[in-house]
């Protein structure tokens, strides 16, 4: 984004390069990182305000990304549980539930 200063404030406008990058940025799902970032919230707010962006497509891309990550996690857990007899301590860890907050 480019900035133009004015007396008493400034305004923000998109550069040509930034405008050209927007469709790819909206289409690309936000990755899962630690610590979590607010990129998804920022992306959704910008998508609502950006002309020509279908917010439903932005949300659907994110939903697909999260579903794929969840599927991969479930597959890994199933594979680990299939080998549980080889590693009883790992079996106990995988089947243990997290304690509820405050307990």
């Amino acid at each position: 984004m480019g900035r133009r200063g004015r007396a008493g404030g400034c305004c923000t406008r998109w550069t040509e390069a930034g405008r050209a990058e927007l469709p790819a940025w909206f289409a690309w799902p936000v990755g899962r990182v630690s610590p979590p970032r607010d990129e998804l919230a920022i992306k959704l707010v910008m998508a609502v305000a950006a002309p020509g962006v279908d917010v439903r497509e932005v949300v659907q891309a994110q939903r697909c990304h999260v579903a794929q990550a969840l599927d991969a996690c479930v597959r890994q857990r199933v594979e680990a549980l299939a080998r549980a007899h080889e590693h009883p301590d790992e079996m106990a860890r995988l089947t243990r539930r997290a304690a509820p907050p405050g307990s």
Side-chain angles (χ1 to χ4, degrees), residues 12-90:
T12 303
R13 64 179 173 79
W14 289 103
T15 63
E16 287 299 317
R19 217 177 345 272
E21 180 66 24
L22 276 177
W25 184 67
F26 283 128
W28 194 261
V30 175
R32 296 170 50 225
V33 294
S34 186
R37 298 183 305 184
D38 292 332
E39 185 176 348
L40 179 57
I42 293 166
K43 183 179 283 193
L44 292 174
V45 167
M46 290 180 67
V48 168
V53 176
D54 186 342
V55 178
R56 291 173 295 204
E57 288 180 9
V58 175
V59 171
Q60 185 60 29
Q62 188 67 35
R63 289 179 72 196
C64 288
H65 176 72
V66 171
Q68 290 170 350
L70 181 59
D71 287 346
C73 183
V74 169
R75 275 193 307 277
Q76 289 174 351
R77 188 176 179 125
V78 167
E79 291 168 4
L81 288 172
R83 295 186 311 272
H85 65 282
E86 300 168 12
H87 307 281
D89 292 340
E90 184 67 4

